Amino acid sequence: MTDVQKAAEALLAAYETGTPIAPLRGTVLPEGDVAAAYAVQRAQAERWEAAGRRPVGAKIGLTSPAVQSMFGVFQPDFGVLYADMAVPDGTPIPAGKLLQPRVEVEVAFVLGRDLPHERVTVVDVIRATDHLLPAIEVVDSRIAGWDISIVDTVADNASSGLFVLGTAPRRLADVDLRLCGAVLEHHGEPVSVGAGAACLGNPVHAVAWLATTLAAAGRPLRAGDLVLSGALGPMVPVPVTAEGPVYEARISGLGSVRAVFAGSAEGAKA
């Protein structure tokens, strides 16, 4: 079994058992080998899709300097989004569904045209975007204690978990994404604030980076794809509580969206 296969099997087992694994870097995978990490990600995607899991787009991670500094990484990454990751706005997320959830506020792009070129420009992204939605990404890690490097998070499908989308689409032309402010509240109290400029200077830039990267890899973004463009502020750990945390994200010009977590018996004992 190759190192890529060993890493993929370890991550797939973490999904199945609900038990996080030790970091992959420096043990199963070489330190800094991002290409090997993407090979691990792809191996898992092929397994999932062969079993019928439906891809619906992609997510961009590590676009915010605040998030990059938390994990000592200095470049964006990407992962695959699947239909079964979508949670309707306000619908409770069952306790225990994720291992180590954290939340962050993002701008979601829904494409109306393909982006097949290997040098995608900002203009290409603007022309291809059908509409925008506010989003909360519920990120997760199969790596114990979120002890991750760029290799660990890339291999782990960019630390993907779930996502919640707002339901009132907006046109890109009607929103200044660079200057739009964002706030994430926990039961009405702000826990993370940011702006579009925190996402590679503008979320449109992040989508252009992703589209270029995926086209070069032979897997271009297509009409109908959903893109989570990256965090606008710091991610926030989700505590285990009896009541269940409720988070609401608001992005100026885009509206709001809520992520609701069901309470747990463990929280009641704490």
Side-chain angles (χ1 to χ4, degrees), residues 143-240:
I143 308 300
W146 276 92
D147 182 7
I148 63 172
S149 70
I150 186 69
V151 168
D152 299 297
T153 187
V154 165
D156 191 18
N157 198 27
S159 302
S160 60
L162 305 171
F163 60 87
V164 189
L165 301 177
T167 56
R170 299 287 190 274
R171 295 175 63 246
L172 177 55
D174 296 334
V175 183
D176 186 340
L177 287 183
R178 185 179 72 85
L179 297 179
C180 69
V183 61
L184 182 67
E185 295 181 346
H186 175 226
H187 292 292
E189 294 294 326
V191 291
S192 179
V193 296
C199 180
L200 293 187
N202 189 314
V204 174
H205 299 166
V207 177
W209 171 85
L210 175 68
T212 297
T213 302
L214 290 179
R219 302 192 300 274
L221 292 170
R222 298 297 187 188
D225 278 349
L226 166 70
V227 176
L228 296 182
S229 59
L232 304 187
M235 66 171 64
V236 177
V238 177
V240 176

Side-chain angles (χ1 to χ4, degrees), residues 14-15 18-20 53 84-85 87 93-103 137-142 146 159-163 238 240 261:
Y15 277 101
T19 303
R53 201 175 187 194
D84 59 10
M85 292 179 177
V87 178
I93 297 168
K97 184 173 180 64
L98 300 174
L99 303 184
Q100 307 171 94
R102 300 183 176 192
V103 289
E137 184 182 3
V138 186
V139 292
D140 197 14
S141 181
R142 272 52 63 179
W146 276 92
S159 302
S160 60
L162 305 171
F163 60 87
V238 177
V240 176
F261 293 82

Side-chain angles (χ1 to χ4, degrees), residues 70-105:
M70 288 174 69
F71 299 112
V73 296
F74 306 101
Q75 64 188 87
D77 68 353
F78 66 84
V80 184
L81 295 177
Y82 291 95
D84 59 10
M85 292 179 177
V87 178
D89 187 355
T91 298
I93 297 168
K97 184 173 180 64
L98 300 174
L99 303 184
Q100 307 171 94
R102 300 183 176 192
V103 289
E104 54 192 23
V105 55

